[in-house]
Amino acid sequence: MRSAIYEGVVTHRRHATPATGHVAHAFTRRVTMAYLFLDEVDELVARHPLWSATRWRPVLFRRRDYLGDPATPLDDAVRDVVAERLGVRPRGPVAMLGQLRTWGWLFNPLTLYYCYDEDVTRVEAVVLEVTSTPWHERHVYVVDGRDHHARFAKAMHVSPFLGMDHEYEMRWTVPAAAVAVHLVNHQGATRLFDAGLTLTRREPTRAEMARLVWRRPLRTYAVSAGIYREALTLWRRGAPFHPRRVVDAARAPVSTVPIPTPPAS
């Protein structure tokens, strides 16, 4: 099976600059993420009775938690976005790196989709699905997968403690024994913030899948709790607050497209 479970750390580092109110802050959190080839979802969840893709279970892959119209298969929705933004529709499988709904809760600040060629030897495009805090709005960025480096304009207000006049710089590796993603916020030549994801692959054995149910049951809750805890720390330190500003999607760069929020459960 090509799918896997990845475990490791996410790091955030805010730099002391005029744009950040000279408030520096950093933290590291452990994370567990599923790496799902979307054509293997049914096969994977069948390996453990407490995982499902169709009805409530402690670990649930719920289609409407992710990009696009819930009536459209997720891999097709990803291919549609890539075709619209890059002009070429991927023909190979699509793999998702993100968290799954666990014990009823899910918040994915960032979900990554890797679009492979037909031989599954090369990533043709990478799709970043970003969800904002606290508004839970979504925006998608699409980058060419042939280069593991990209720089593009910020097009959605993600955090109330960072402004909109930024560019993102992204570097990534193709998931294998390990996977890494590094995302930097720039304002001109100034680095304001960077986030990193460093994970190690685990095979999705029944025992490993059970660990997500019993040994790491609150990881998805911890993601949301940690975001608000760190926000409170920034507020107490006097970090500047930026009111939410909606960007006209028609003026966004060609690599971006807004994705509607899925219906409530």
Side-chain angles (χ1 to χ4, degrees):
M1 175 172 280
R2 297 165 300 180
S3 299
I5 296 171
Y6 278 87
E7 187 171 22
V9 295
V10 58
T11 59
H12 282 202
R13 187 167 66 250
R14 176 188 177 97
H15 305 285
T17 71
T20 60
H22 298 284
V23 176
H25 184 58
F27 67 87
T28 299
R29 297 280 183 272
R30 293 203 64 80
V31 293
T32 302
M33 304 180 78
Y35 178 62
L36 300 180
F37 275 83
L38 297 174
D39 57 359
E40 293 183 342
V41 170
D42 291 341
E43 179 185 355
L44 175 67
V45 299
R47 292 188 171 193
H48 199 286
L50 297 183
W51 286 51
S52 179
T54 57
R55 54 183 174 172
W56 193 93
R57 287 290 185 271
V59 178
L60 175 63
F61 171 83
R62 191 175 72 164
R63 168 64 187 93
R64 68 177 181 265
D65 285 332
Y66 305 99
L67 180 154
D69 183 349
T72 301
L74 182 53
D75 50 357
D76 284 340
V78 173
R79 293 186 188 101
D80 289 346
V81 169
V82 175
E84 179 181 353
R85 294 300 139 189
L86 298 185
V88 178
R89 184 180 178 84
R91 300 179 64 181
V94 177
M96 181 196 87
L97 180 64
Q99 297 186 89
L100 301 178
R101 184 169 292 271
T102 306
W103 293 102
W105 180 252
L106 174 67
F107 178 69
N108 263 319
L110 175 64
T111 307
L112 294 161
Y113 302 92
Y114 299 87
C115 300
Y116 284 87
D117 62 8
E118 292 182 276
D119 296 328
V120 200
T121 57
R122 186 182 68 181
V123 173
E124 296 183 327
V126 179
V127 176
L128 295 78
E129 182 181 17
V130 179
T131 305
S132 65
T133 305
W135 308 284
H136 288 210
E137 294 173 327
R138 298 185 188 178
H139 196 85
V140 165
Y141 301 88
V142 182
V143 298
D144 193 321
R146 292 172 295 182
D147 189 356
H148 293 187
H149 173 260
R151 187 159 177 160
F152 46 94
K154 181 177 181 178
M156 185 181 72
H157 195 146
V158 179
S159 164
F161 295 100
L162 288 171
M164 280 294 300
D165 55 338
H166 299 172
E167 282 189 316
Y168 291 126
E169 182 179 13
M170 177 187 174
R171 297 183 184 274
W172 71 92
T173 64
V174 175
V179 61
V181 181
H182 190 220
L183 199 64
V184 179
N185 279 43
H186 292 281
Q187 188 182 57
T190 304
R191 176 180 293 205
L192 308 180
F193 171 86
D194 57 281
L197 187 65
T198 306
L199 307 172
T200 301
R201 179 185 174 101
R202 296 181 182 273
E203 294 305 314
T205 63
R206 187 182 174 107
E208 192 63 40
M209 295 168 74
R211 290 180 68 205
L212 191 60
V213 177
W214 302 118
R215 296 185 60 183
R216 301 186 287 266
L218 300 180
R219 282 279 170 91
T220 53
Y221 289 88
V223 170
S224 293
I227 288 171
Y228 287 101
R229 183 172 57 249
E230 301 303 334
L232 180 60
T233 298
L234 292 174
W235 176 74
R236 286 175 170 172
R237 293 183 180 179
F241 185 90
H242 299 268
R244 173 174 171 251
R245 177 162 64 89
V246 179
V247 174
D248 180 0
R251 298 176 58 192
V254 69
S255 60
T256 66
V257 59
I259 297 298
T261 302
S265 34

